Amino acid sequence: MNNIIYLDAAASALKPESVIKTETDFLRDSYANAGRGICARAIAVDDKIAEARKKVADFIGAKSPEQIVFTAGTTDGMNRIARIINDSVCGDSLKNKTIMVSDLDHHSARLPFEVLRESMACKIVLCPLDAKYNLVDADLPKADVFVITAMSNVLGTPQDVASLVAAARKKNPDVITIVDAAQYVVHNEIDVQKWDCDFMCFSAHKIGADTGLGVMYIKNPGRWISPDKFGGGMIARITGSAVNNNYSLQWEPAPAKFEAGTLPITQIIGLPAAIDYICKNRPNLDLIKYLYDRLNKNERIQIITSRDASMLSFYIKDMHALDFGALIGAHNVCLRVGNMCASWIHKLIGIPGSVRISVGSWNTKEEMIVVADIIENIVK
């Protein structure tokens, strides 16, 4: 399998040796559960979790590690945010509230609110896009909640999150802003304080950490926000009487109250190594520019991304994306075809699906030459 050219970093990054070694060493020599024991090994694991949380806080410019909640990934985080907002932030739920989304959104960013629209009768409005499918901060609709895709996983162009948040707050100072940074985090530094967003999510596996782990940033995780899932580790105390079953629950402070049950410990232990790696080894986007210049000369290949995007997405005239995927897969090239779990932007462009090439630090110019040759032979 080592002869495969892996061009699907936007789906999931290959793992650097530092992450593999960190997790392997932990599993072999230091494993214990977190937040459950008082022995030396368990306390050492708690310390490692705390170090990882601070690492993430510094990585995204958060004020405090208490603002960092570990989740199962961006999808988990976005669904949890929708529940948190519906259950506690908006008081009487999202009924009759206005949610602003966009056609750049990944399914996991938009679907939780589309489902709430159907069940809660909240209203969905669209953030406007310009001719190049970028989010526009002028004349935004007034909204109670604003979901912002910081970078589309189809178009790969970073959006001006700070300006979008500021523009939304001019229309409604109390608007709740949520940022999907799953793709953005790979290519750009994040500063949540500059963005001034209320929530932000990304998945660890996109930056070279393990799967099953994500980060949910909460700007104000105080006691006025209730937890959305329940279990061990998030209860401070239970008071009341067993006689009449009249109990009162008190939650632990954040982030513990949002992290019920056993954390994905091994994945968290490997996360700092992934952060160190991605900060020093961002994907080489000159490789994308090379492919753009080569493939843009072919009349059958219709490129839908800009030359300076973080990925290359295209479709081929008179060829289904899945057929192309099967053909190039036979040449040991791993890339993504389909709608990328982003149906709305494909509908807007007017195509059923696309082909996406995304690179990581492991890719080389020689690989791009080989891939360009293969693609040109397939579509000639």
Coordinates of all heavy atoms in Angstrom, one line a residue, residues 161-218:
V161 N -13.7 35.6 8.9 CA -14.7 35.3 10.0 C -14.9 36.5 10.9 O -16.0 36.8 11.3 CB -14.1 34.1 10.8 CG1 -15.0 33.8 12.1 CG2 -14.0 32.8 10.0
A162 N -13.8 37.2 11.2 CA -14.0 38.3 12.1 C -14.9 39.4 11.6 O -15.8 39.9 12.3 CB -12.6 39.0 12.4
S163 N -14.8 39.7 10.3 CA -15.7 40.7 9.7 C -17.1 40.2 9.6 O -18.1 40.9 9.8 CB -15.2 41.0 8.3 OG -14.0 41.7 8.3
L164 N -17.3 38.9 9.4 CA -18.7 38.3 9.3 C -19.3 38.4 10.7 O -20.5 38.7 10.9 CB -18.6 36.9 8.8 CG -18.3 36.7 7.3 CD1 -17.8 35.3 7.1 CD2 -19.5 37.0 6.5
V165 N -18.6 38.0 11.8 CA -19.1 38.1 13.1 C -19.5 39.5 13.5 O -20.5 39.8 14.0 CB -18.1 37.5 14.1 CG1 -18.6 37.8 15.6 CG2 -17.9 36.0 13.9
A166 N -18.6 40.5 13.2 CA -18.8 41.9 13.5 C -20.1 42.4 12.8 O -20.9 43.1 13.3 CB -17.6 42.7 13.1
A167 N -20.2 42.0 11.5 CA -21.4 42.5 10.7 C -22.7 41.9 11.3 O -23.7 42.6 11.3 CB -21.2 42.1 9.2
A168 N -22.6 40.6 11.7 CA -23.8 40.0 12.3 C -24.2 40.7 13.6 O -25.4 40.9 13.9 CB -23.6 38.5 12.5
R169 N -23.2 41.1 14.4 CA -23.5 41.7 15.7 C -24.0 43.1 15.5 O -24.8 43.6 16.4 CB -22.2 41.8 16.5 CG -21.7 40.4 16.9 CD -20.9 40.5 18.2 NE -20.1 39.2 18.5 CZ -20.6 38.1 18.9 NH1 -21.9 38.0 19.1 NH2 -19.9 37.0 19.1
K170 N -23.7 43.8 14.4 CA -24.3 45.1 14.1 C -25.8 45.0 13.9 O -26.6 45.8 14.3 CB -23.7 45.7 12.9 CG -22.3 46.2 13.1 CD -21.7 46.9 11.9 CE -20.3 47.4 12.1 NZ -19.7 48.0 10.9
K171 N -26.2 43.9 13.3 CA -27.7 43.6 13.0 C -28.4 43.1 14.3 O -29.5 43.5 14.6 CB -27.9 42.6 11.9 CG -27.5 43.1 10.5 CD -28.4 44.2 10.1 CE -28.1 44.7 8.7 NZ -28.5 43.8 7.7
N172 N -27.6 42.4 15.1 CA -28.2 41.8 16.4 C -27.0 41.6 17.4 O -26.3 40.6 17.2 CB -28.9 40.5 16.1 CG -29.5 39.9 17.4 OD1 -29.4 40.6 18.5 ND2 -29.9 38.7 17.4
P173 N -26.9 42.5 18.3 CA -25.7 42.3 19.3 C -25.7 41.0 20.0 O -24.7 40.6 20.5 CB -26.0 43.5 20.2 CG -26.8 44.5 19.5 CD -27.7 43.7 18.6
D174 N -26.9 40.4 20.1 CA -27.0 39.1 20.9 C -26.9 37.9 20.0 O -27.2 36.8 20.5 CB -28.4 39.1 21.6 CG -28.5 40.2 22.7 OD1 -27.4 40.5 23.3 OD2 -29.6 40.8 22.8
V175 N -26.6 38.1 18.7 CA -26.5 36.9 17.8 C -25.4 35.9 18.4 O -24.4 36.3 18.9 CB -26.1 37.3 16.4 CG1 -24.7 38.0 16.3 CG2 -26.2 36.2 15.4
I176 N -25.7 34.6 18.3 CA -24.8 33.6 18.7 C -24.1 33.1 17.4 O -24.7 32.6 16.5 CB -25.6 32.4 19.3 CG1 -26.3 32.9 20.6 CG2 -24.6 31.3 19.7 CD1 -27.3 31.9 21.1
T177 N -22.7 33.2 17.5 CA -22.0 32.8 16.3 C -21.2 31.5 16.5 O -20.6 31.3 17.5 CB -21.0 34.0 16.0 OG1 -20.2 34.3 17.1 CG2 -21.7 35.2 15.5
I178 N -21.3 30.7 15.5 CA -20.7 29.3 15.5 C -19.8 29.2 14.3 O -20.2 29.4 13.1 CB -21.8 28.3 15.4 CG1 -22.8 28.5 16.5 CG2 -21.2 26.9 15.6 CD1 -24.1 27.8 16.3
V179 N -18.6 28.8 14.5 CA -17.6 28.6 13.4 C -17.2 27.2 13.2 O -16.8 26.5 14.1 CB -16.3 29.5 13.6 CG1 -15.4 29.4 12.4 CG2 -16.7 31.0 13.8
D180 N -17.4 26.7 12.0 CA -16.9 25.4 11.6 C -15.5 25.6 11.0 O -15.4 26.1 9.9 CB -17.8 24.8 10.5 CG -17.3 23.5 9.9 OD1 -16.2 23.0 10.3 OD2 -18.0 22.9 9.0
A181 N -14.5 25.2 11.7 CA -13.1 25.5 11.3 C -12.4 24.2 10.9 O -11.1 24.1 10.9 CB -12.3 26.2 12.4
A182 N -13.1 23.2 10.5 CA -12.5 21.8 10.2 C -11.5 21.9 9.1 O -10.4 21.2 9.2 CB -13.6 20.8 9.9
Q183 N -11.7 22.7 8.1 CA -10.7 22.8 7.0 C -9.8 23.9 7.2 O -8.6 23.8 6.9 CB -11.5 23.0 5.7 CG -12.3 21.8 5.2 CD -11.4 20.6 4.9 OE1 -10.3 20.6 4.5 NE2 -12.0 19.4 5.2
Y184 N -10.3 25.0 7.8 CA -9.5 26.2 8.0 C -8.3 25.9 8.9 O -7.2 26.4 8.6 CB -10.4 27.3 8.7 CG -9.8 28.7 8.8 CD1 -10.1 29.7 7.9 CD2 -8.9 29.0 9.8 CE1 -9.5 30.9 8.0 CE2 -8.3 30.2 10.0 CZ -8.7 31.2 9.1 OH -8.1 32.5 9.2
V185 N -8.5 25.1 9.9 CA -7.4 24.9 10.9 C -6.2 24.3 10.3 O -5.0 24.5 10.9 CB -8.0 24.0 12.1 CG1 -8.2 22.6 11.6 CG2 -7.0 24.0 13.3
V186 N -6.3 23.6 9.2 CA -5.2 22.9 8.6 C -4.2 23.9 8.0 O -3.0 23.7 8.0 CB -5.6 21.9 7.6 CG1 -4.5 21.2 6.9 CG2 -6.6 20.9 8.2
H187 N -4.8 25.0 7.4 CA -4.0 25.9 6.6 C -3.7 27.2 7.2 O -2.8 28.0 6.7 CB -4.7 26.1 5.2 CG -5.0 24.8 4.5 ND1 -4.0 24.2 3.7 CD2 -6.1 24.0 4.4 CE1 -4.5 23.1 3.2 NE2 -5.7 23.0 3.6
N188 N -4.4 27.6 8.2 CA -4.4 29.0 8.8 C -4.4 29.0 10.3 O -4.9 28.1 10.9 CB -5.6 29.8 8.3 CG -5.7 29.8 6.8 OD1 -5.1 30.6 6.1 ND2 -6.5 28.9 6.3
E189 N -3.7 30.0 10.9 CA -3.8 30.2 12.3 C -5.2 30.6 12.7 O -5.8 31.4 12.0 CB -2.7 31.2 12.8 CG -1.3 30.7 12.6 CD -0.3 31.7 13.2 OE1 -0.7 32.7 13.7 OE2 0.9 31.4 13.0
I190 N -5.6 30.2 13.9 CA -6.9 30.6 14.4 C -6.7 31.4 15.6 O -5.9 31.1 16.5 CB -7.8 29.3 14.8 CG1 -8.2 28.6 13.5 CG2 -9.0 29.7 15.6 CD1 -9.0 27.3 13.8
D191 N -7.5 32.5 15.7 CA -7.5 33.4 16.8 C -8.9 33.6 17.2 O -9.6 34.5 16.7 CB -6.8 34.7 16.5 CG -6.6 35.6 17.8 OD1 -7.3 35.4 18.7 OD2 -5.7 36.5 17.8
V192 N -9.5 32.8 18.1 CA -10.9 33.0 18.5 C -11.2 34.3 19.1 O -12.4 34.7 19.0 CB -11.3 31.8 19.3 CG1 -11.4 30.5 18.5 CG2 -10.5 31.6 20.6
Q193 N -10.2 34.9 19.8 CA -10.5 36.2 20.4 C -10.7 37.3 19.3 O -11.5 38.1 19.4 CB -9.4 36.6 21.4 CG -9.3 35.7 22.6 CD -8.3 36.1 23.6 OE1 -8.5 37.2 24.2 NE2 -7.3 35.3 23.9
K194 N -9.8 37.2 18.3 CA -10.0 38.1 17.2 C -11.3 37.9 16.4 O -12.0 38.8 16.0 CB -8.8 38.0 16.2 CG -8.9 38.9 15.0 CD -7.7 38.7 14.1 CE -7.8 39.6 12.9 NZ -6.6 39.4 11.9
W195 N -11.6 36.6 16.3 CA -12.9 36.3 15.6 C -14.1 36.8 16.4 O -15.1 37.1 15.9 CB -13.0 34.8 15.4 CG -12.2 34.3 14.2 CD1 -11.5 35.0 13.3 CD2 -12.1 32.9 13.8 NE1 -10.9 34.2 12.4 CE2 -11.2 32.9 12.7 CE3 -12.6 31.7 14.3 CZ2 -10.9 31.7 12.0 CZ3 -12.2 30.5 13.6 CH2 -11.4 30.5 12.5
D196 N -14.0 36.7 17.8 CA -15.1 37.0 18.7 C -16.3 36.1 18.5 O -17.4 36.5 18.7 CB -15.5 38.5 18.5 CG -16.3 39.0 19.7 OD1 -16.1 38.5 20.8 OD2 -17.2 39.9 19.5
C197 N -16.0 34.9 18.1 CA -17.1 33.9 18.0 C -17.5 33.3 19.3 O -16.7 33.3 20.3 CB -16.7 32.8 17.0 SG -15.2 31.9 17.5
D198 N -18.7 32.8 19.4 CA -19.2 32.2 20.6 C -18.8 30.7 20.7 O -18.6 30.2 21.8 CB -20.7 32.4 20.7 CG -21.1 33.8 20.8 OD1 -20.8 34.5 21.8 OD2 -21.8 34.3 19.9
F199 N -18.8 30.0 19.6 CA -18.5 28.6 19.5 C -17.6 28.4 18.3 O -17.7 29.1 17.3 CB -19.7 27.7 19.4 CG -20.7 27.8 20.6 CD1 -21.7 28.7 20.6 CD2 -20.5 26.9 21.6 CE1 -22.6 28.8 21.7 CE2 -21.4 26.9 22.7 CZ -22.4 27.9 22.7
M200 N -16.7 27.4 18.4 CA -15.9 27.0 17.3 C -15.6 25.5 17.4 O -15.3 25.0 18.5 CB -14.6 27.8 17.2 CG -13.7 27.6 16.0 SD -12.6 26.2 16.1 CE -11.6 26.7 17.5
C201 N -15.5 24.8 16.3 CA -15.2 23.4 16.3 C -14.2 23.1 15.2 O -14.1 23.7 14.1 CB -16.5 22.6 15.9 SG -17.7 22.6 17.2
F202 N -13.4 22.0 15.5 CA -12.6 21.4 14.5 C -12.3 20.0 14.9 O -12.4 19.6 16.0 CB -11.3 22.2 14.2 CG -10.2 22.1 15.2 CD1 -9.3 21.1 15.3 CD2 -10.1 23.2 16.2 CE1 -8.3 21.1 16.3 CE2 -9.1 23.2 17.2 CZ -8.2 22.1 17.2
S203 N -11.8 19.2 13.9 CA -11.6 17.7 14.2 C -10.1 17.5 14.2 O -9.3 18.0 13.4 CB -12.1 16.9 13.0 OG -13.5 16.9 13.0
A204 N -9.6 16.7 15.2 CA -8.2 16.5 15.4 C -7.5 15.8 14.2 O -6.4 16.0 13.9 CB -7.9 15.7 16.7
H205 N -8.3 14.8 13.6 CA -7.7 14.0 12.6 C -7.3 14.8 11.3 O -6.5 14.3 10.5 CB -8.6 12.8 12.2 CG -9.8 13.2 11.5 ND1 -9.9 13.1 10.1 CD2 -11.1 13.6 12.0 CE1 -11.2 13.5 9.8 NE2 -11.9 13.8 10.9
K206 N -7.9 16.0 11.2 CA -7.6 16.8 10.0 C -6.2 17.4 10.1 O -5.6 17.7 9.1 CB -8.6 18.0 9.9 CG -10.0 17.6 9.8 CD -10.4 17.1 8.4 CE -11.9 17.0 8.3 NZ -12.3 16.4 7.1
I207 N -5.6 17.5 11.3 CA -4.3 18.1 11.5 C -3.3 17.0 11.8 O -2.1 17.3 12.2 CB -4.3 19.2 12.5 CG1 -4.7 18.7 13.9 CG2 -5.2 20.3 12.1 CD1 -4.4 19.7 15.1
G208 N -3.6 15.7 11.7 CA -2.7 14.7 11.9 C -2.8 13.9 13.2 O -2.0 13.0 13.4
A209 N -3.7 14.3 14.0 CA -4.0 13.6 15.3 C -4.9 12.4 14.9 O -5.2 12.2 13.7 CB -4.6 14.5 16.3
D210 N -5.3 11.7 15.9 CA -6.1 10.5 15.7 C -7.6 10.8 15.5 O -8.0 11.9 15.8 CB -5.9 9.6 16.9 CG -6.1 8.1 16.6 OD1 -6.6 7.8 15.5 OD2 -5.7 7.3 17.5
T211 N -8.3 9.8 15.0 CA -9.7 10.0 14.8 C -10.5 9.8 16.1 O -9.9 9.4 17.1 CB -10.3 8.9 13.8 OG1 -9.8 7.6 14.3 CG2 -9.8 9.1 12.4
G212 N -11.7 10.2 16.1 CA -12.5 10.1 17.3 C -12.3 11.2 18.3 O -12.8 11.2 19.5
L213 N -11.7 12.3 17.9 CA -11.4 13.4 18.8 C -11.6 14.8 18.1 O -11.3 14.9 16.9 CB -9.9 13.4 19.2 CG -9.4 14.6 20.1 CD1 -10.2 14.7 21.4 CD2 -7.9 14.5 20.3
G214 N -12.3 15.7 18.7 CA -12.5 17.0 18.2 C -12.4 18.0 19.3 O -12.2 17.7 20.5
V215 N -12.4 19.3 18.9 CA -12.3 20.4 19.9 C -13.6 21.3 19.7 O -13.9 21.6 18.6 CB -11.0 21.2 19.7 CG1 -11.1 22.5 20.4 CG2 -9.8 20.4 20.1
M216 N -14.2 21.6 20.8 CA -15.3 22.6 20.8 C -14.9 23.7 21.7 O -14.7 23.5 22.9 CB -16.6 21.9 21.3 CG -17.8 22.9 21.4 SD -19.4 22.0 21.7 CE -19.1 21.3 23.4
Y217 N -14.8 24.9 21.1 CA -14.4 26.1 21.9 C -15.8 26.8 22.3 O -16.7 26.9 21.5 CB -13.6 27.0 21.1 CG -13.6 28.5 21.6 CD1 -12.7 28.9 22.6 CD2 -14.4 29.4 21.0 CE1 -12.7 30.2 23.1 CE2 -14.4 30.7 21.4 CZ -13.5 31.1 22.4 OH -13.5 32.4 22.9
I218 N -15.9 27.1 23.6 CA -17.0 27.9 24.1 C -16.5 29.1 24.7 O -15.8 29.1 25.7 CB -17.8 27.1 25.1 CG1 -18.2 25.7 24.5 CG2 -19.1 27.8 25.5 CD1 -19.0 24.8 25.5

